[in-house]
Amino acid sequence: MTLLRQTRFADRLEAGNRLAETLSSLRGQHPLVLAIPRGGVPIGRVIADALDGDLDVVLVRKIGAPGHEEFAVGAIDESGLVQVADYAADVGADERYIEREAALQLERIYQRRQLYSPYRASLDPKGRVVIVVDDGLATGATMRAALVAARRREPLRLICAVPVGSPRSLTTLQGIADDVVCLLAPEDFRAVAQFYEAFPPVEDREVIDLLKRRHPAAPAEAVSQAMQFSVDGLTLEGDLHIPAHARGLVVFAHGSGSSRWSVRNRHVASVLQQHGMATLLFDLLSPQEDEVTSERFDVLKLARRLATVVQILKRTTQLEHLPIGLFGASTGAAASMMMAAEHPDLIRAIVSRGGRPDLAGRERLTLVRAPTLFIVGGADTPVIDVNRAAMAAMRAHAELMLVPGATHLFEEPGALERVAALATSWFARWL
């Protein structure tokens, strides 16, 4: 901890420059600066630029007590991790209350992510030097939640950096961060604002502008290309389409007996593309494997291959900034649920069309964090039942939409168009 002789900062810009000087030994390590919005973002921008690093926001939300929203009984981060205070039950926040409030706050986190960075997912802290910043610490509750969220994503080193903080709040961070850097820690701390000569509110527009300054832009022109994925000693073929200024990427997982040439999936993909979504349709099985029924229903293998392909896409320069959704049909829906359960940080939303999510298993369904839409034909009674059961098992936000009169393959007039409209609305909401 480095302490200054001065007692106030002129503004957030000076505070950021002072912190950047203190952290100058990290220059050359390309650190990831995670700022707590909104006040931490101007400071984070200064530090990221000075250290030649990347800037992103770390999004956490407080869970308030029943009837007293400002009194925190817990917090939730962008991955869905909920932290609950020991005293939560004593003030009326039972398990059902926490689950309900956590779902509400998580939706607000997704909305804020969409507002701040609509063309990309959050930057990955894994294996990087990560600096979590704010413009000051009062209780330290938000910073603690942010540090825990960052720690779970396996950074190489985790640093908390603030211009000013109360001595009591600083001590609570020891052991969570590898290092805590604070320039002022006055004993007479009452509020963060008292240590700034100018401390105006930071508006969302400013946050957006600061985050945009060095982020890669979405492609300005549409791109279509064939892709090949080496998986399990096989070469799986795929078709990628990226519209101009894409806002997200939807990966299709086809069902039993189908392939990347599925007419139904290609229709949905074309509608998504018209609404700014990049799409990938690829073969989960080789032609030889597809002739074997047991291979078609090996959901674990399908999920593993889906995960491999998504990880390859995240390492592709033109796609790495895009949040990813999954569109699964039949057994592909089960593979999507399994994959999302195993890799919650990769998937932001799921749509299941006439799916068999039950094949993923109840335990894995409880682990899915991505908001999920189940679309089922209104006349497809057996599949309606299994989708309702799957939705009941989930902890993540989930909805079931029935297409009136439609059967399993949505061959009735207007049925597939309704599926495409529902899927587009869902991905626009959550990606």
Side-chain angles (χ1 to χ4, degrees), residues 113-127:
R113 172 62 69 185
Q114 179 59 35
L115 175 67
Y116 289 162
S117 47
Y119 297 124
R120 62 171 185 84
S122 58
L123 299 182
D124 190 359
K126 186 172 183 177

Side-chain angles (χ1 to χ4, degrees), residues 26 37 65 71 81 118 127 194 198 230 235 255 262 290 297 326 340:
L26 299 177
F71 182 66
L81 175 68
Q194 78 183 92
S230 296
T235 298
S262 164
D290 191 48
F297 285 85
L326 300 177

Side-chain angles (χ1 to χ4, degrees), residues 22-317:
T22 305
L23 297 165
S24 60
S25 63
L26 299 177
R27 188 177 293 113
Q29 298 184 45
H30 192 55
L32 172 59
V33 179
L34 296 179
I36 297 175
R38 291 175 287 207
V41 178
I43 292 174
R45 180 75 276 167
V46 172
I47 295 172
D49 289 348
L51 303 183
D52 192 26
D54 293 321
L55 175 67
D56 201 354
V57 287
V58 54
L59 299 177
V60 294
R61 293 283 299 186
K62 175 174 62 180
I63 298 174
H68 301 279
E69 293 183 358
E70 292 305 312
F71 182 66
V73 295
I76 184 169
D77 64 33
E78 194 168 2
S79 72
L81 175 68
V82 179
Q83 301 177 54
V84 181
D86 295 338
Y87 53 79
D90 296 337
V91 296
D94 59 18
E95 184 175 344
R96 291 186 63 183
Y97 173 85
I98 293 292
E99 287 183 0
R100 184 172 64 252
E101 287 299 305
L104 175 63
Q105 298 305 327
L106 184 60
E107 182 167 349
R108 290 176 177 171
I109 286 174
Y110 284 142
Q111 291 170 348
R112 181 157 285 190
R113 172 62 69 185
Q114 179 59 35
L115 175 67
Y116 289 162
S117 47
Y119 297 124
R120 62 171 185 84
S122 58
L123 299 182
D124 190 359
K126 186 172 183 177
R128 301 186 65 175
V129 174
V130 174
I131 309 168
V132 182
V133 304
D134 204 353
D135 54 13
L137 294 184
T139 66
T142 302
M143 176 59 77
R144 283 196 301 275
L147 289 170
V148 170
R151 176 67 75 188
R152 291 182 69 245
R153 299 183 69 181
E154 303 177 11
L156 178 65
R157 184 181 175 198
L158 182 61
I159 301 166
C160 166
V162 291
V164 60
S166 73
R168 178 177 296 180
S169 67
L170 290 166
T171 59
T172 66
L173 304 180
Q174 301 295 333
I176 303 176
D178 297 314
D179 193 12
V180 177
V181 176
C182 181
L183 304 180
L184 300 176
E187 292 295 336
D188 63 340
F189 184 99
R190 296 186 302 278
V192 172
Q194 78 183 92
F195 299 98
Y196 288 85
E197 293 177 13
F199 195 67
V202 178
E203 302 297 333
D204 283 332
R205 183 70 258 171
E206 182 179 355
V207 171
I208 294 167
D209 290 342
L210 290 168
L211 290 172
K212 275 183 176 179
R213 189 179 298 172
R214 290 180 57 170
H215 281 320
E221 297 182 358
V223 175
S224 293
Q225 66 185 70
M227 296 194 75
Q228 293 184 328
F229 304 96
S230 296
V231 182
D232 294 340
L234 301 170
T235 298
L236 303 179
E237 304 288 340
D239 296 316
L240 174 69
H241 181 84
I242 310 174
H245 304 293
R247 59 180 296 178
L249 169 63
V250 178
V251 179
F252 283 73
H254 62 75
S256 171
S258 190
S259 70
R260 73 185 191 279
W261 298 110
S262 164
V263 174
R264 286 172 287 278
N265 283 353
R266 285 188 172 264
H267 175 79
V268 175
S270 68
V271 176
L272 289 171
Q273 293 159 14
Q274 294 167 22
H275 289 80
M277 296 292 173
T279 62
L280 174 75
L281 297 101
F282 76 103
D283 295 329
L284 280 164
L285 298 172
S286 69
Q288 294 76 22
E289 288 175 318
D290 191 48
E291 295 177 359
V292 182
T293 301
S294 60
E295 293 283 355
R296 295 181 180 181
F297 285 85
D298 188 346
V299 178
L300 186 59
K301 175 188 286 187
L302 301 181
R304 187 181 69 248
R305 290 183 178 182
L306 180 59
T308 299
V309 167
V310 169
Q311 289 165 340
I312 292 172
L313 295 173
K314 290 301 292 182
R315 295 194 296 269
T316 303
T317 302

